[in-house]
Each structure stands twice: as structure tokens, then as C-alpha cells.
């Protein structure tokens, strides 16, 4: 049951990214799906923290339903999202000039924030890459701590 709770956390994060893409790249209003996925993420974390893993099947059903409804909103934009995943990974992780700084910024997000401000005027590309990685690292640390402490306590 714990595995279903953890899987639904990752799937809910994927649904949030999916609808964020649709919000930015389509003409459709998907704010309802974004807000429900945020609420579902928080409620799923509290469910795991409370040890009521049976509710995780509800979140799993919501996630699967929302992924299917994404195609009902816009088939073209949904297919474009799935086609954009591989090029995004390729562009993000093959940029040898900044990949080391991005990893450092994501793992040690205070260092990433400092690198953002230090390089903001001199090397704007490096600054933005470090800032984005630091923000992602901060969100992941908070999310993982909440998930781990919720499961452990």
C-alpha cells in the first residue's frame, strides 16, 4: 500500500507538469486541472503522513482520469507534450558547459542561489541555469522531506 502512495505522488507531479505544459502551449483553460492536481498532491502527502494508504487508490484514479482528459482537452497539444520530453532531456543533460553547475545547484540549492546572483550580470545563461536548478532542488528537498517524514512518522 505504501508503494501505491509513493507512485501516486510521482504520477500527480507528472500530471501537474502535463497540465502546466498544456496551459502554456494551448489556448484551452486548464486551471481547474492544475488546481486539482496541486490539491491532490498536498492531500496525498497528508494521506501518506497519516498512514491511510487506501485513499492512494483514489489519487491514482484521479491521475489516470486527468491524463486521459488531457487528450480530450487537446489531442495535438497532448501529443506535442509527449514528443517534447525526449528533446527536453537531451537539451538539458547534454549541455556540457553548465551541467556540472546545474547538478551542484540542484543538490546544494543555497549554492545555486548564490551562483545565480554572482553570475547574473556576467554570464546570464549560467545564472538562469543555476537559478532554475536551485529552485527545482529546493522544491524537491521540501517534497522529499515531507514524503519521507510523513511515511516515517
Amino acid at each position: 500500500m505504501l508503494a501505491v502512495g509513493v507512485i501516486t505522488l510521482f504520477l500527480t507531479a507528472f500530471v501537474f507538469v502535463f497540465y502546466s505544459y498544456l496551459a502554456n502551449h494551448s489556448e484551452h483553460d486548464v486551471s481547474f486541472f492544475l488546481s486539482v492536481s496541486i490539491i491532490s498532491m498536498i492531500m496525498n502527502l497528508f494521506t501518506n503522513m497519516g498512514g491511510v494508504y487506501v485513499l492512494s487508490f483514489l489519487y491514482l484514479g484521479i491521475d489516470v482520469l486527468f491524463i486521459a482528459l488531457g487528450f480530450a482537452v487537446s489531442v495535438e497539444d497532448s501529443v506535442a507534450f509527449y514528443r517534447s520530453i525526449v528533446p527536453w532531456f537531451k537539451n538539458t543533460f547534454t549541455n556540457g558547459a553548465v551541467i556540472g553547475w546545474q547538478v551542484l545547484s540542484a543538490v546544494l540549492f543555497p549554492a545555486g542561489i548564490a551562483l545565480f546572483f554572482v553570475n547574473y550580470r556576467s554570464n546570464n545563461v549560467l545564472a538562469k541555469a543555476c537559478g532554475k536548478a536551485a529552485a527545482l532542488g529546493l522544491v524537491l528537498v521540501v517534497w522529499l522531506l515531507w514524503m519521507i517524514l510523513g511515511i516515517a512518522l
Side-chain angles (χ1 to χ4, degrees):
M1 296 298 271
L2 177 63
V4 175
V6 173
I7 289 169
T8 55
L9 281 173
F10 286 104
L11 194 58
T12 306
F14 175 78
V15 167
F16 180 74
V17 170
F18 175 59
Y19 279 104
S20 296
Y21 179 88
L22 288 180
N24 289 329
H25 292 88
S26 73
E27 308 248 341
H28 302 285
D29 183 21
V30 292
S31 58
F32 169 76
F33 298 108
L34 284 171
S35 58
V36 169
S37 64
I38 290 172
I39 292 168
S40 178
M41 174 73 74
I42 293 170
M43 289 176 63
N44 196 351
L45 286 166
F46 280 124
T47 299
N48 289 345
M49 190 170 65
V52 186
Y53 300 115
V54 176
L55 287 176
S56 296
F57 288 106
L58 173 69
Y59 304 127
L60 182 63
I62 291 171
D63 292 337
V64 170
L65 177 68
F66 276 18
I67 290 172
L69 287 176
F71 286 97
V73 169
S74 175
V75 174
E76 298 85 18
D77 294 327
S78 296
V79 170
F81 168 74
Y82 289 108
R83 285 188 181 161
S84 70
I85 292 174
V86 172
W88 178 81
F89 271 103
K90 188 175 182 182
N91 291 336
T92 301
F93 295 113
T94 59
N95 189 356
V98 295
I99 189 68
W101 294 110
Q102 286 177 321
V103 170
L104 175 71
S105 298
V107 173
L108 300 171
F109 61 88
I113 294 170
L115 285 170
F116 172 76
F117 287 113
V118 167
N119 293 312
Y120 186 71
R121 293 189 189 257
S122 62
N123 191 350
N124 200 11
V125 173
L126 177 64
K128 286 183 180 180
C130 290
K132 287 179 184 178
L136 177 67
L138 176 65
V139 168
L140 286 176
V141 164
V142 169
W143 186 61
L144 286 173
L145 278 175
W146 192 353
M147 185 175 69
I148 291 168
L149 290 175
I151 291 170
L153 297 179

